[in-house]
């Protein structure tokens, strides 16, 4: 037995209200591949917030699950899984109208698997389309009440019942007296009124003429007949139709994300009938360009802050490595450099077991407007690899020297020891 209950102790803490339960992090329904599945099974009851397996479903449960699914960002579509003979009139029309009021927010599909009759069919019409199983049935758009009278049985049993009341219609329709013609007429008037509302609801939701709905005379229809009448849209196997609906859900979600209107504080309160702006490709490209420019400017600021700090000036090679080869913020890099020993003017290099002492060349005088970054790069012995490198018309093949200089510069910046390659 499967039961979804907003007050179930298995799901709801003793100090948690029913509204808190539905609005909290719990999901008292099934979501598969982005599709919310709401069971509408058994007898349908008003003021009942439970879904009791195949036997009963409350209008309150359907309403709360439906609204929760509409507001759940992880739900892209809603499927109404219906197998019900119908239920109470009270509360049904109100439920369907509330569901229809949110039509268009997310795709909703009703599956008559296998039966959606009377009040259950009313709920099915709140969807965008209705799919039936091959052996399913829909319809029974009508209203009925029943009066049972036991006066003869009570008399034969020797029981006589006497009512003491005020107001001549107070005990009208009781089970121990024959139903008067006036009482039956009033009951029929009430039934006709509810029937008119039912017909109008179905006609509006299914885009049909009211007379066409009345002409069904509360008949039930199998799959083929239902499509001919206009009470269903398609016939298909439930598993295949659900799989197709899930695939459509993914496609619709992508399309929705691309076309969703951009809401601004001004447009959110717009009540003059003007439409909100939409994000165009031009807006998107401009935003990307702006973000890229801001990112480049921020990176330059970070590098300069590291190299221009007192800690960076005292440790230029380590500062350059921290600025160019790590993602540390300027504050983190400066703190890191502060924990290192200050660099000396000589650097020991291990060359095949031998030790050489190199004195770095003096950095060229900084040009006006130069940043700490450019000063550090100019002072790191970078080779002249530009198009105008060289001093004269004589062509010199200095590719080997260039490679060596570049590797030496990298070793100096990173603090790693480079062992020279021994020629064969």
């Amino acid at each position: 037995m499967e039961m979804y209950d907003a007050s179930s102790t298995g799901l709801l803490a003793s100090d948690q209200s029913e509204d808190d339960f539905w609005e909290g992090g719990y999901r008292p329904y099934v979501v598969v591949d982005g599709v919310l599945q709401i069971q509408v099974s058994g007898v349908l009851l008003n003021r009942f917030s439970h879904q009791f397996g195949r036997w009963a479903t409350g209008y309150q449960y359907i309403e709360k699950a439906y609204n929760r699914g509409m507001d759940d960002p992880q739900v892209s579509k809603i499927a109404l899984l219906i197998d019900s003979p119908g239920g109470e009139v009270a509360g049904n029309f109100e439920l369907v109208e509330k569901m229809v009021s949110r039509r268009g927010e997310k795709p909703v599909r009703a599956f008559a698997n296998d039966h959606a009759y009377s009040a259950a069919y009313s709920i099915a019409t709140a969807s965008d389309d209705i799919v039936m199983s091959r052996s399913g049935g829909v319809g029974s758009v009508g209203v009925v009440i029943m009066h049972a009278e036991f006066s003869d049985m009570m008399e034969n049993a020797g029981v006589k019942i006497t009512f003491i009341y005020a107001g001549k219609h107070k005990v009208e329709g009781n089970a121990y007296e024959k139903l008067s013609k006036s009482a039956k007429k009033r009951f029929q008037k009430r039934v006709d009124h509810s029937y008119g509302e039912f017909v109008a609801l179905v006609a509006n939701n299914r885009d049909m003429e009211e007379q066409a709905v009345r002409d069904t005379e509360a008949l039930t229809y199998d799959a083929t007949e239902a499509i001919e009448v206009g009470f269903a849209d398609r016939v298909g196997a439930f598993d295949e139709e659900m799989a197709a609906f899930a695939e459509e859900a993914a496609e619709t979600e992508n399309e929705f994300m691309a076309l969703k209107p951009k809401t601004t504080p001004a447009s959110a309160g717009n009540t003059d009938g003007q439409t909100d702006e939409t994000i165009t490709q031009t807006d998107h490209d401009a935003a990307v360009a702006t973000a890229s420019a801001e990112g480049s400017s921020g990176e330059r600021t970070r590098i300069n802050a590291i190299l221009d700090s007192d800690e960076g000036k005292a440790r230029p090679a380590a500062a350059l490595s921290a600025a160019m080869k790590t993602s540390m913020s300027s504050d983190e890099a400066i703190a890191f450099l502060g924990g290192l020993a200050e660099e000396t003017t000589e650097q020991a290099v291990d060359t095949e077991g031998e030790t050489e002492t190199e004195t770095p060349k003096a950095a060229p005088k900084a040009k006006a407007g130069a940043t700490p970054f450019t000063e550090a790069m100019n002072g790191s012995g970078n080779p002249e690899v530009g198009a105008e490198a060289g001093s004269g018309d004589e062509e010199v093949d200095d590719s080997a020297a260039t490679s060596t200089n570049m590797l030496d510069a990298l070793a100096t910046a990173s603090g790693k020891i480079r062992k020279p390659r021994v020629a064969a």
Side-chain angles (χ1 to χ4, degrees), residues 211-229:
Q211 189 57 49
V213 178
R214 286 182 179 274
D215 288 344
T216 66
E217 293 290 352
L219 279 173
T220 60
Y221 298 96
D222 62 21
T224 302
E225 295 171 333
I227 293 176
E228 293 176 354
V229 172

Side-chain angles (χ1 to χ4, degrees), residues 14-34:
S14 59
D15 59 346
Q16 186 180 27
S17 70
E18 181 175 324
D19 288 339
D20 290 338
F21 171 76
W22 281 99
E23 295 171 2
Y26 299 104
R27 269 209 189 118
Y29 47 62
V30 177
V31 177
V32 180
D33 296 329

Side-chain angles (χ1 to χ4, degrees), residues 1 10 15 19 31 42 44 100 139 152 163 178-179 181 191 208 232 249 286 305 308 314 331 355 369 401 406 410 422:
M1 180 184 298
D15 59 346
D19 288 339
V31 177
L44 306 181
V100 172
D152 290 343
F163 292 100
K178 296 185 182 300
L179 186 65
K181 292 182 178 180
V191 168
M208 299 174 62
D308 196 33
D331 292 338
T355 303
M406 292 178 68
L410 176 60
V422 179

Side-chain angles (χ1 to χ4, degrees), residues 223-243:
T224 302
E225 295 171 333
I227 293 176
E228 293 176 354
V229 172
F231 275 13
D233 302 289
R234 192 166 63 258
V235 178
F238 173 72
D239 292 341
E240 296 176 358
E241 289 293 335
M242 277 298 300

Side-chain angles (χ1 to χ4, degrees), residues 72-204:
D72 191 334
Q74 296 186 37
V75 171
S76 57
K77 289 191 173 186
I78 297 177
L80 303 174
L81 310 186
I82 304 176
D83 188 13
S84 168
E88 291 184 87
V89 172
N92 180 269
F93 300 156
E94 293 83 355
L95 168 64
V96 175
E97 287 172 352
K98 290 176 181 178
M99 295 171 69
V100 172
S101 70
R102 303 197 67 170
R103 178 180 279 179
E105 293 185 26
K106 293 182 181 180
V108 180
R109 183 168 296 171
F111 295 84
N113 185 44
D114 292 296
H115 306 102
Y117 294 131
S118 196
Y121 182 72
S122 173
I123 292 173
T125 66
S127 65
D128 301 317
D129 51 2
I130 299 175
V131 179
M132 294 181 60
S133 61
R134 197 173 299 278
S135 59
V138 296
S140 188
V141 180
V143 179
V144 60
I145 62 175
M146 181 186 71
H147 176 264
E149 186 254 309
F150 305 103
S151 59
D152 290 343
M153 184 182 72
M154 300 300 289
E155 184 177 353
N156 292 336
V159 178
K160 182 175 179 62
I161 298 174
T162 301
F163 292 100
I164 301 171
Y165 58 94
K168 67 177 183 178
H169 301 297
K170 182 62 179 178
V171 297
E172 196 171 65
N174 72 81
Y176 306 105
E177 293 179 339
K178 296 185 182 300
L179 186 65
S180 66
K181 292 182 178 180
S182 61
K184 182 179 179 180
K185 184 177 180 179
R186 278 187 287 275
F187 289 163
Q188 185 64 57
K189 183 178 180 181
R190 189 179 306 167
V191 168
D192 291 342
H193 177 74
S194 296
Y195 178 59
E197 288 193 13
F198 194 178
V199 167
L201 188 71
V202 171
N204 180 70

Side-chain angles (χ1 to χ4, degrees), residues 281-416:
Q281 187 62 39
T282 302
D283 295 333
H284 173 76
D285 294 342
V288 171
T290 300
S292 298
E294 291 176 352
S296 299
S297 176
E299 182 64 11
R300 287 195 298 270
T301 301
R302 169 184 164 275
I303 293 173
N304 289 335
I306 295 172
L307 300 180
D308 196 33
S309 66
D310 293 338
E311 291 82 352
K313 290 178 179 178
R315 306 162 185 82
L320 183 60
S321 181
M324 302 301 293
K325 297 184 177 183
T326 74
S327 60
M328 291 189 291
S329 68
S330 59
D331 292 338
E332 291 172 341
I334 291 171
F336 168 74
L337 293 172
L340 300 179
E342 294 186 4
E343 296 174 9
T344 62
T345 57
E346 296 182 351
Q347 180 178 7
V349 179
D350 183 8
T351 306
E352 296 294 336
E354 298 179 2
T355 303
E356 292 182 358
T357 303
E358 295 183 355
T359 303
K361 298 178 181 179
K365 187 176 181 180
K367 297 180 181 180
T371 65
F373 172 69
T374 56
E375 291 178 13
M377 293 298 291
N378 289 335
S380 63
N382 292 321
E384 295 181 309
V385 294
E388 299 178 356
S391 58
D393 298 332
E394 183 180 358
E395 294 185 0
V396 180
D397 184 6
D398 60 347
S399 59
T402 297
S403 299
T404 300
N405 290 338
M406 292 178 68
L407 292 172
D408 287 339
L410 176 60
T412 301
S414 62
K416 296 181 179 179

